[in-house]
Amino acid sequence: MDLDLLLKICLLIVIAGIGFKLLKVFTSMIFKFALIILVLLLVCKFFKLF
């Protein structure tokens, strides 16, 4: 019984860790995407000035 509970807890921790890692990767991807859009907008404005 105790071993089964321990196994479930370990599994939960592993799933939580994987979820957190995926979330981190996802948020960094969104940040990079936003940064690229910002750079493109700045480039467009820069070329419109000339």
Side-chain angles (χ1 to χ4, degrees):
M1 184 64 191
D2 274 342
L3 194 72
D4 194 46
L5 190 71
L6 194 71
L7 194 74
K8 279 180 182 174
I9 290 164
C10 285
L11 196 70
L12 203 83
I13 290 164
V14 168
I15 289 166
I18 291 164
F20 186 69
K21 244 184 188 155
L22 283 172
L23 192 75
K24 240 178 141 180
V25 167
F26 190 62
T27 49
S28 70
M29 272 172 64
I30 288 167
F31 181 71
K32 280 175 188 170
F33 189 65
L35 206 68
I36 289 163
I37 287 168
L38 192 71
V39 168
L40 285 170
L41 284 169
L42 283 168
V43 166
C44 284
K45 269 191 173 179
F46 186 72
F47 280 117
K48 275 181 183 175
L49 285 168
F50 284 100

